[in-house]
Amino acid sequence: MDSKRLIHISKYLSKHLRHRPDRLALELFPGGWVPVDELLAALGKNNFPVTRRELEQVVAENDKQRFSLDQSGEMIRANQGHSVEVDLGLEPVPPPERLYHGTARQNLAPILQAGLARMGRHHVHLCRTPEEARKIGARRGRPVVLEIDAAGMERKGYRFFVSDNDVWLTEEVPPRLLRPLEPGGSPD
């Protein structure tokens, strides 16, 4: 499958498995799982046919690893980023000392004032490395990387989770526990 088709399928799946399963008449099972056969049938009925092989390729090759198949290969889910009500069944885990968040520079001033919020999702998404965060921030403009005092947050009672694709999740990040990583990281 060419990269254009892979991206197109990935975006379509993200929209429907994270935000609008109802548009495909899908119901998310506990953990956000959907039977693969039901998903493929729903995609076909909605004039977006995808083969099982294409679906498996998207799961395996998507650069953000947005999706997981269960061990049987019969169920699929989006790993995180849902705006619909779903319990992914993730257990709290101790975070590393530092985590990172990438954003566009124009978002910096409000973040430094109010912190990071879920913004219609279940969690704030954090990365293990500044490089990962920079790539994410660059999707919406000139990037800035925020360093998060994750260990300090945990000591204050904040809980952290890790999705199947190694994205760190928490409900919010207060402004006093984050800082721009780049020198001169104040807003323009």
Side-chain angles (χ1 to χ4, degrees), residues 10 15 40 66 73 85 90 98-99 103 111-113 116 124 129 134 151 157 175:
S10 176
K15 177 180 182 175
L40 294 174
R66 286 189 170 125
E85 191 60 40
L90 302 174
R98 303 272 180 243
L99 288 167
T103 191
I111 290 171
L112 291 176
Q113 189 165 15
L116 292 168
V124 172
T129 69
R134 186 168 286 105

Side-chain angles (χ1 to χ4, degrees), residues 16-183:
H16 292 92
L17 292 178
R18 293 163 119 183
H19 310 296
R20 296 299 310 266
D22 58 308
R23 286 191 64 206
L24 296 178
L26 294 172
E27 185 177 329
L28 300 182
F29 286 42
W33 296 103
V34 172
V36 169
D37 290 340
E38 284 183 29
L39 174 63
L40 294 174
L43 293 171
K45 284 181 193 170
N46 284 276
N47 299 314
F48 194 84
V50 174
T51 67
R52 181 176 283 268
R53 186 165 185 230
E54 287 175 320
L55 184 69
E56 290 170 355
Q57 188 175 351
V58 167
V59 171
E61 296 179 18
N62 177 267
D63 62 337
K64 296 176 184 82
Q65 294 296 292
R66 286 189 170 125
F67 313 102
S68 291
L69 290 168
D70 72 350
Q71 289 183 341
S72 71
E74 298 303 314
M75 302 286 277
I76 187 171
R77 75 172 177 185
N79 287 322
Q80 87 284 322
H82 297 80
S83 59
V84 295
E85 191 60 40
V86 64
D87 178 2
L88 294 176
L90 302 174
E91 294 294 324
V93 293
E97 190 74 24
R98 303 272 180 243
L99 288 167
Y100 303 91
H101 181 82
T103 191
R105 190 162 295 277
Q106 68 263 20
N107 299 330
L108 185 59
I111 290 171
L112 291 176
Q113 189 165 15
L116 292 168
R118 297 178 284 177
M119 306 299 288
R121 294 186 178 187
H122 292 261
H123 296 98
V124 172
H125 296 187
L126 305 172
C127 304
R128 285 187 188 269
T129 69
E131 296 77 24
E132 290 174 80
R134 186 168 286 105
K135 280 175 39 180
I136 291 167
R139 293 187 301 199
R140 304 245 192 276
R142 213 167 88 212
V144 62
V145 174
L146 300 166
E147 182 180 70
I148 313 300
D149 179 3
M153 284 181 62
E154 185 186 37
R155 286 191 295 275
K156 293 181 183 312
Y158 290 89
R159 297 183 322 157
F160 289 84
F161 308 88
V162 183
S163 66
D164 288 349
N165 59 336
D166 202 34
V167 173
W168 284 82
L169 308 168
T170 193
E171 290 189 9
E172 65 178 318
V173 178
R176 68 186 179 283
L177 294 172
L178 58 79
R179 70 177 182 88
L181 193 59
E182 290 89 8

